[in-house]
Amino acid sequence: MRILAAMSGGVDSAVAAARAVEAGHEVVGVHLALSREGGTLRTGSRGCCTIEDAMDARRAADRLGIPFYVWDFSERFRDDVIEDFVSEYRAGRTPNPCMRCNEKIKFAALLERAIELGFDAVCTGHYATLVDGPGGLELHRASDAAKDQSYVLGVLNAEQLAHTYFPLGSTPSKALVRAEAEERGLTVAHKPDSHDICFIPDGDTRGWLAERVGAEQGDIVDRTGAVIGTHEGAHAFTVGQRRGLQLGVPAPDGKPRFVLEVRPVSNTVVVGPKEALATAEIAGERYSWAGRAQAEGVFGCHVQIRAHADPVPATATLADGRLTVVPETPFDGVAPGQTAVLYDGTRVIGQFTIATTVSAVPVSA
């Protein structure tokens, strides 16, 4: 096959490209320039897609003897990922920018250009596997549960899966990938993994949002609506947050309180006891299927609501364009805007963006 290897500058994508070459494919490496801030540099494991990463990707491509290019996707990234992140926070939701990047950039914009240029597939260093199933190509979890990235790939549809290549999915551990990189003479063998939000490399999400959303003082209320404190901007709070509330009225039972809801229209933050974070139902209308489409009706599944959360057995109902999920045991601290990924065993069924939640604890409790 003609393979376009997306090379981030990390060890995973470098080894993935190396395996594609070793498998006999015609491979071309490409690094995506997602920011026009020329001085952007990595700080340890913070940040990605930086100048340093581009140079590391080029060195890896040179070592593998494959052509290498840098493509400027900064405008698409700004519009589809960064602006989406800001607008979601303005609406009081908690977005996942990695999901949007996979959906809009790596497996939409990049894949579209790759196909236009005659490539058969895009190769990445994601830890996930593709399986030929009875209903077509299926997306499954990786062999290494600790590194499994099927959750953040849950936004991919059948057509996109048909043009993807995940060489690392069956690798038992990340340690073996690093050892292989070292054996291949790749200088990124021991480079730290990136984490946090790549376009906020200093990790100060609250400060970054304050510059773009603005900070306006508002009320912090309990579940009955009583004002018990003030805040400097609702965007700075997420469901499940405990620290930084600065409440002027202690809880009757003396226990700490947590953020239960963010209401951007009224600039209000609702807090309450930890048990009130239990969520009995989630629902949304923005959904997609990873492979064959799910028929309307009721079906059993497991649901994962965060990249590293444990999957929870649940019953899902698809009806009238809305997907509703009721877990066997309540979820903990779910916020609108998060992505719920549905599984059948190791197979990804699909995903949806959570629009509404139902607390498992009545307000009077």
Side-chain angles (χ1 to χ4, degrees):
M1 293 190 298
R2 292 195 70 218
I3 299 290
L4 184 68
M7 304 183 71
S8 66
V11 63
D12 293 327
S13 60
V15 171
R19 290 186 181 182
V21 171
E22 191 171 63
H25 301 300
E26 179 187 344
V27 182
V28 173
V30 63
H31 179 81
L32 303 185
L34 302 180
S35 172
R36 292 189 174 181
E37 297 177 13
T40 303
L41 290 171
R42 167 185 287 266
T43 302
S45 60
R46 290 190 179 276
C48 70
C49 317
T50 64
I51 293 174
E52 178 185 330
D53 292 314
M55 293 189 294
D56 286 341
R58 181 176 294 278
R59 280 191 286 266
D62 289 344
R63 178 68 181 177
L64 299 176
I66 62 175
F68 177 81
Y69 301 91
V70 176
W71 288 355
D72 182 0
F73 275 31
S74 58
E75 287 190 17
R76 285 288 298 267
F77 186 75
R78 180 197 63 207
D79 294 342
D80 294 339
V81 180
I82 298 179
E83 292 303 323
D84 175 78
F85 183 80
V86 174
S87 64
E88 285 292 280
Y89 264 100
R90 279 199 183 105
R93 295 186 287 266
T94 303
N96 185 322
C98 293
M99 302 289 284
R100 295 290 80 77
C101 186
N102 282 334
E103 177 186 16
K104 301 292 188 179
I105 306 298
K106 295 176 183 174
F107 296 97
L110 175 61
L111 185 55
E112 288 167 9
R113 184 178 295 185
I115 293 173
E116 288 174 359
L117 293 174
F119 289 94
D120 299 301
V122 167
C123 166
T124 73
H126 286 98
Y127 287 78
T129 57
L130 295 173
V131 176
D132 285 318
L137 199 61
E138 298 175 348
L139 175 64
H140 283 253
R141 291 190 184 277
S143 298
D144 182 3
K147 290 298 295 179
D148 173 56
Q149 292 175 299
S150 60
Y151 173 86
V152 295
L153 297 170
V155 292
L156 303 188
N157 58 38
E159 184 177 355
Q160 291 168 330
L161 291 176
H163 295 283
T164 58
Y165 183 42
F166 301 131
L168 305 187
S170 60
T171 307
S173 73
K174 177 64 174 273
L176 292 176
V177 172
R178 291 194 180 280
E180 181 178 335
E182 190 164 26
E183 290 174 4
R184 293 180 181 276
L186 297 170
T187 58
V188 292
H190 300 289
K191 184 176 179 178
D193 292 336
S194 60
H195 60 78
D196 295 323
I197 301 171
C198 68
F199 51 87
I200 311 178
D202 64 0
D204 183 14
T205 304
R206 178 179 294 192
W208 188 90
L209 282 169
E211 293 179 2
R212 290 155 179 82
V213 177
E216 182 180 351
Q217 191 176 83
D219 292 332
I220 299 177
V221 303
D222 64 18
R223 300 183 84 197
T224 69
V227 177
I228 56 176
T230 59
H231 62 77
E232 297 301 323
H235 67 271
F237 298 87
T238 56
V239 172
Q241 179 177 332
R242 173 187 172 184
R243 299 184 183 280
L245 298 182
Q246 299 179 339
L247 301 177
V249 180
D253 58 7
K255 294 181 179 180
R257 283 178 285 206
F258 298 77
V259 174
L260 305 179
E261 186 181 353
V262 177
R263 298 173 178 169
V265 175
S266 61
N267 195 29
T268 303
V269 175
V270 183
V271 300
K274 182 175 177 57
E275 53 267 26
L277 287 170
T279 303
E281 179 181 300
I282 57 176
E285 297 172 350
R286 291 166 52 191
Y287 57 81
S288 64
W289 310 114
R292 64 181 183 272
Q294 184 68 37
E296 284 205 350
V298 180
F299 59 95
C301 61
H302 280 71
V303 182
Q304 190 170 326
I305 58 172
R306 297 182 184 87
H308 303 293
D310 292 327
V312 176
T315 299
T317 303
L318 177 62
D320 300 323
R322 189 171 179 82
L323 189 55
T324 303
V325 173
V326 177
E328 287 187 6
T329 56
F331 298 117
D332 183 28
V334 182
Q338 286 181 230
T339 301
V341 177
L342 314 183
Y343 290 83
D344 177 11
T346 62
R347 179 176 72 89
V348 177
I349 300 173
Q351 61 81 38
F352 69 96
T353 301
I354 299 170
T356 59
T357 64
V358 176
S359 176
V361 180
V363 175
S364 58

